[in-house]
mmCIF file of all heavy atoms in Angstrom:
data_model
loop_
_atom_site.group_PDB
_atom_site.id
_atom_site.type_symbol
_atom_site.label_atom_id
_atom_site.label_comp_id
_atom_site.label_asym_id
_atom_site.label_seq_id
_atom_site.Cartn_x
_atom_site.Cartn_y
_atom_site.Cartn_z
ATOM 1 N N THR A 9 79.932 -43.001 199.807
ATOM 2 C CA THR A 9 80.354 -43.001 198.410
ATOM 3 C C THR A 9 81.660 -42.248 198.233
ATOM 4 O O THR A 9 82.565 -42.685 197.512
ATOM 5 C CB THR A 9 79.266 -42.363 197.525
ATOM 6 O OG1 THR A 9 78.071 -43.155 197.614
ATOM 7 C CG2 THR A 9 79.712 -42.303 196.070
ATOM 8 N N LEU A 18 91.153 -51.645 195.929
ATOM 9 C CA LEU A 18 89.877 -52.354 195.971
ATOM 10 C C LEU A 18 89.605 -52.881 197.370
ATOM 11 O O LEU A 18 88.497 -52.736 197.895
ATOM 12 C CB LEU A 18 89.882 -53.507 194.966
ATOM 13 C CG LEU A 18 88.660 -54.436 195.012
ATOM 14 C CD1 LEU A 18 87.384 -53.679 194.690
ATOM 15 C CD2 LEU A 18 88.848 -55.624 194.074
ATOM 16 N N ALA A 32 75.866 -48.248 209.936
ATOM 17 C CA ALA A 32 74.695 -47.481 209.500
ATOM 18 C C ALA A 32 73.401 -48.267 209.692
ATOM 19 O O ALA A 32 72.373 -47.710 210.077
ATOM 20 C CB ALA A 32 74.855 -47.074 208.041
ATOM 21 N N SER A 47 87.482 -68.960 188.565
ATOM 22 C CA SER A 47 86.700 -70.109 189.025
ATOM 23 C C SER A 47 85.197 -69.860 189.054
ATOM 24 O O SER A 47 84.421 -70.808 189.130
ATOM 25 C CB SER A 47 87.158 -70.510 190.422
ATOM 26 O OG SER A 47 86.845 -69.483 191.355
ATOM 27 N N ARG A 56 82.632 -57.718 208.463
ATOM 28 C CA ARG A 56 82.589 -57.239 209.839
ATOM 29 C C ARG A 56 81.516 -58.059 210.524
ATOM 30 O O ARG A 56 80.367 -58.042 210.125
ATOM 31 C CB ARG A 56 82.235 -55.748 209.916
ATOM 32 C CG ARG A 56 83.367 -54.812 209.549
ATOM 33 C CD ARG A 56 84.496 -54.835 210.603
ATOM 34 N NE ARG A 56 85.502 -53.836 210.344
ATOM 35 C CZ ARG A 56 86.500 -53.956 209.472
ATOM 36 N NH1 ARG A 56 86.596 -55.066 208.748
ATOM 37 N NH2 ARG A 56 87.395 -52.998 209.312
ATOM 38 N N LEU A 68 82.301 -69.929 198.180
ATOM 39 C CA LEU A 68 81.126 -70.739 197.865
ATOM 40 C C LEU A 68 81.106 -70.999 196.369
ATOM 41 O O LEU A 68 81.441 -70.109 195.570
ATOM 42 C CB LEU A 68 79.849 -69.996 198.270
ATOM 43 C CG LEU A 68 79.601 -69.815 199.772
ATOM 44 C CD1 LEU A 68 78.591 -68.695 200.007
ATOM 45 C CD2 LEU A 68 79.105 -71.121 200.398
ATOM 46 N N ARG A 108 70.576 -65.500 211.956
ATOM 47 C CA ARG A 108 69.385 -66.069 211.311
ATOM 48 C C ARG A 108 68.883 -65.229 210.130
ATOM 49 O O ARG A 108 68.681 -65.742 209.039
ATOM 50 C CB ARG A 108 68.252 -66.219 212.348
ATOM 51 C CG ARG A 108 68.652 -66.882 213.634
ATOM 52 C CD ARG A 108 69.073 -68.336 213.478
ATOM 53 N NE ARG A 108 67.969 -69.216 213.117
ATOM 54 C CZ ARG A 108 68.020 -70.530 213.204
ATOM 55 N NH1 ARG A 108 69.103 -71.132 213.670
ATOM 56 N NH2 ARG A 108 66.984 -71.261 212.830
ATOM 57 N N GLU A 131 68.876 -62.172 215.399
ATOM 58 C CA GLU A 131 67.441 -62.369 215.603
ATOM 59 C C GLU A 131 66.727 -62.673 214.289
ATOM 60 O O GLU A 131 67.205 -62.318 213.208
ATOM 61 C CB GLU A 131 66.829 -61.110 216.229
ATOM 62 C CG GLU A 131 66.926 -59.881 215.332
ATOM 63 C CD GLU A 131 66.242 -58.667 215.922
ATOM 64 O OE1 GLU A 131 65.053 -58.789 216.269
ATOM 65 O OE2 GLU A 131 66.899 -57.627 216.031
ATOM 66 N N ALA A 159 89.019 -54.040 185.120
ATOM 67 C CA ALA A 159 89.548 -53.481 183.874
ATOM 68 C C ALA A 159 91.037 -53.192 183.963
ATOM 69 O O ALA A 159 91.755 -53.279 182.965
ATOM 70 C CB ALA A 159 88.791 -52.206 183.518
ATOM 71 N N THR A 160 91.531 -52.848 185.155
ATOM 72 C CA THR A 160 92.942 -52.528 185.320
ATOM 73 C C THR A 160 93.768 -53.739 185.737
ATOM 74 O O THR A 160 94.973 -53.621 185.950
ATOM 75 C CB THR A 160 93.129 -51.421 186.378
ATOM 76 O OG1 THR A 160 92.514 -51.826 187.607
ATOM 77 C CG2 THR A 160 92.508 -50.111 185.915
ATOM 78 N N ASN A 169 95.687 -69.511 195.059
ATOM 79 C CA ASN A 169 96.310 -70.646 194.384
ATOM 80 C C ASN A 169 95.897 -70.799 192.923
ATOM 81 O O ASN A 169 96.186 -71.803 192.291
ATOM 82 C CB ASN A 169 95.977 -71.947 195.133
ATOM 83 C CG ASN A 169 96.523 -71.931 196.550
ATOM 84 O OD1 ASN A 169 97.621 -71.458 196.796
ATOM 85 N ND2 ASN A 169 95.735 -72.456 197.484
ATOM 86 N N VAL A 173 97.291 -65.677 185.051
ATOM 87 C CA VAL A 173 96.498 -65.350 183.876
ATOM 88 C C VAL A 173 97.300 -64.414 183.001
ATOM 89 O O VAL A 173 98.064 -63.577 183.486
ATOM 90 C CB VAL A 173 95.175 -64.664 184.290
ATOM 91 C CG1 VAL A 173 94.311 -64.380 183.068
ATOM 92 C CG2 VAL A 173 94.424 -65.550 185.267
ATOM 93 N N GLU A 214 114.447 -41.984 187.104
ATOM 94 C CA GLU A 214 114.903 -40.969 186.152
ATOM 95 C C GLU A 214 113.948 -40.836 184.981
ATOM 96 O O GLU A 214 113.639 -39.726 184.533
ATOM 97 C CB GLU A 214 116.314 -41.312 185.642
ATOM 98 C CG GLU A 214 117.412 -41.233 186.695
ATOM 99 C CD GLU A 214 117.407 -42.426 187.640
ATOM 100 O OE1 GLU A 214 116.728 -43.431 187.330
ATOM 101 O OE2 GLU A 214 118.068 -42.338 188.701
ATOM 102 N N GLU A 218 111.665 -37.587 183.853
ATOM 103 C CA GLU A 218 111.734 -37.067 182.482
ATOM 104 C C GLU A 218 110.342 -37.036 181.844
ATOM 105 O O GLU A 218 109.958 -36.055 181.190
ATOM 106 C CB GLU A 218 112.679 -37.929 181.642
ATOM 107 C CG GLU A 218 112.848 -37.435 180.209
ATOM 108 C CD GLU A 218 113.780 -38.313 179.389
ATOM 109 O OE1 GLU A 218 114.575 -39.073 179.992
ATOM 110 O OE2 GLU A 218 113.703 -38.248 178.143
ATOM 111 N N ILE A 256 100.921 -21.366 186.767
ATOM 112 C CA ILE A 256 100.794 -22.502 187.691
ATOM 113 C C ILE A 256 101.732 -23.633 187.264
ATOM 114 O O ILE A 256 102.416 -24.258 188.077
ATOM 115 C CB ILE A 256 99.332 -23.000 187.748
ATOM 116 C CG1 ILE A 256 98.444 -21.950 188.410
ATOM 117 C CG2 ILE A 256 99.246 -24.319 188.511
ATOM 118 C CD1 ILE A 256 96.968 -22.278 188.368
ATOM 119 N N GLY A 273 109.532 -43.007 195.455
ATOM 120 C CA GLY A 273 109.150 -44.347 195.009
ATOM 121 C C GLY A 273 107.789 -44.480 194.368
ATOM 122 O O GLY A 273 107.279 -45.595 194.265
ATOM 123 N N PHE A 290 94.368 -28.584 201.622
ATOM 124 C CA PHE A 290 94.708 -27.281 202.214
ATOM 125 C C PHE A 290 93.622 -26.259 201.929
ATOM 126 O O PHE A 290 93.185 -25.526 202.815
ATOM 127 C CB PHE A 290 96.044 -26.783 201.643
ATOM 128 C CG PHE A 290 97.238 -27.571 202.097
ATOM 129 C CD1 PHE A 290 98.420 -27.562 201.359
ATOM 130 C CD2 PHE A 290 97.193 -28.324 203.255
ATOM 131 C CE1 PHE A 290 99.521 -28.274 201.773
ATOM 132 C CE2 PHE A 290 98.309 -29.065 203.668
ATOM 133 C CZ PHE A 290 99.463 -29.041 202.928
ATOM 134 N N GLU A 292 90.504 -26.839 201.113
ATOM 135 C CA GLU A 292 89.252 -27.209 201.760
ATOM 136 C C GLU A 292 89.244 -26.833 203.229
ATOM 137 O O GLU A 292 88.191 -26.593 203.809
ATOM 138 C CB GLU A 292 88.999 -28.717 201.588
ATOM 139 C CG GLU A 292 88.606 -29.094 200.161
ATOM 140 C CD GLU A 292 88.405 -30.601 200.006
ATOM 141 O OE1 GLU A 292 88.927 -31.352 200.852
ATOM 142 O OE2 GLU A 292 87.751 -31.010 199.053
#
Side-chain angles (χ1 to χ4, degrees):
T9 298
L18 173 62
S47 66
R56 284 291 187 279
L68 291 161
R108 311 295 291 195
E131 63 176 306
T160 56
N169 298 320
V173 183
E214 293 76 14
E218 182 181 341
I256 292 173
F290 290 158
E292 288 178 340

